[in-house]
Amino acid sequence: MTGPLLRMDGVGRHYRSGGWLSRATVTKAVDGVDLTLAAGETLGIVGESGSGKSTLGRLAAGIEMPSAGTVAFDDAPYAPIDSTAWRRQRRRVQVIFQNPSQAVDPRLPIVTQICGAMAAHRIDPGAGRAGRAETMLERVGLGGLGSRYPHQLSGGQLQRAVIARALALGPEFIVCDEAVSALDVSVQAQILNLLQDLQAEFGLAFLFISHDLGVVRHVSHRIAVMQRGRLVEDGPAHAVFDRPQHPYTQQLIAALPAASPAARRARETARPAAA
Ligand SMILES: Nc1ncnc2c1ncn2[C@@H]1O[C@H](COP(=O)(O)OP(=O)(O)O)[C@@H](O)[C@H]1O
Ligand SMILES: [Mg+2]
């Protein structure tokens, strides 16, 4: 790899709707986005609901194709969706969504699902899988709980299980799309700390998407601010937070629930990014 791990140049994603009885409209969910992400780095993406964050995350993960521009992972464009090359790339790039209960199979014990993910990617054939699954479960704080079913775990534990399943594949890049947004504030802080520890240990790169600038600030080396599909500001996390240049960023910061003790505690308990 010579360039950054992920590179987006002039990326757009346009959705067409209507067009028969109603007039066709085009939504530019993502519009003219340029960004790079280095190995081992966390880029935070903030913006209000509907600003295009999730669409950007799907494009960055290669699970959706751009309508304009190019997305390159490890110096090569993502392979066409569902191709053999694309399935190989899936192992290297994982996505963690807001609601872990939708990301797991309610009928299977956690460890079975982790082994299943490894089997799908032909990792550690045979008996090695169960051992690797248990190692990953221990690593996320769920040691000995692999035989549990999803309904026997709390929301935070279930998100840890989803993280363990992703880790078991040995990814280099994880897109976290509102990954802690559904969790209680104290649990949020624990998961954020876990993600930072895993980054240090495995050299993971994160695209960390959240509508909550307070959450993003503490895990991100750099932050990009999204408004109506465009990146309106980006820079080192502390600079964006302490000296916001764009009026929209200033608004987001002003809207932070500083008055809420719970939100403040979450920000204070989460450890700042190392950079
Ligand atoms: N699959 C889709 N089809 C049509 N419109 C979509 C689709 N996905 C997202 N959009 C639209 O694109 C815009 C950005 O959505 P999204 O990326 O989900 O934003 P965010 O994650 O910031 O809330 C919204 O107007 C949304 O309605
Ligand atoms: Mg979203």
Side-chain angles (χ1 to χ4, degrees), residues 49-50 52-55 58 98 177-178 209:
S49 175
K53 303 183 299 298
S54 292
T55 305
R58 293 192 299 271
Q98 175 164 354
D177 187 356
E178 306 282 2
I209 297 171

Side-chain angles (χ1 to χ4, degrees), residues 17-37:
S17 58
W20 184 50
L21 291 176
S22 60
R23 193 199 261 279
T25 56
V26 173
T27 305
K28 294 185 173 179
V30 171
D31 189 18
V33 164
D34 302 317
L35 65 79
T36 60
L37 179 67

Side-chain angles (χ1 to χ4, degrees), residues 165-240:
R165 185 180 61 189
L167 276 184
L169 304 182
E172 293 147 72
F173 174 37
I174 302 184
V175 175
C176 298
D177 187 356
E178 306 282 2
V180 301
S181 301
L183 305 173
D184 289 347
V185 177
S186 60
V187 180
Q188 282 190 359
Q190 293 166 10
I191 301 283
L192 295 177
N193 287 341
L194 172 66
L195 290 172
Q196 287 182 290
D197 291 344
L198 295 173
Q199 177 168 59
E201 185 173 347
F202 298 105
L204 299 167
F206 287 116
L207 192 70
F208 192 91
I209 297 171
S210 176
H211 67 282
D212 184 342
L213 183 50
V215 163
V216 165
R217 182 197 183 185
H218 278 283
V219 291
S220 303
H221 303 108
R222 285 188 296 129
I223 292 179
V225 181
M226 208 166 180
Q227 183 188 32
R228 292 195 290 270
R230 294 184 154 270
L231 297 188
V232 296
E233 175 159 4
D234 75 276
H238 57 89
V240 169

Side-chain angles (χ1 to χ4, degrees), residues 58-105:
R58 293 192 299 271
L59 294 167
I63 55 176
E64 186 165 325
M65 289 289 146
S67 6
T70 56
V71 182
F73 175 73
D74 193 9
D75 290 331
Y78 280 115
I81 290 175
D82 282 339
S83 65
T84 308
W86 182 82
R87 279 189 288 275
R88 272 199 303 274
Q89 281 166 339
R90 296 296 87 224
R91 186 193 66 72
R92 304 176 66 190
V93 182
Q94 293 289 302
V95 188
I96 294 172
F97 294 104
Q98 175 164 354
N99 194 338
S101 62
Q102 285 170 9
V104 295
D105 185 334

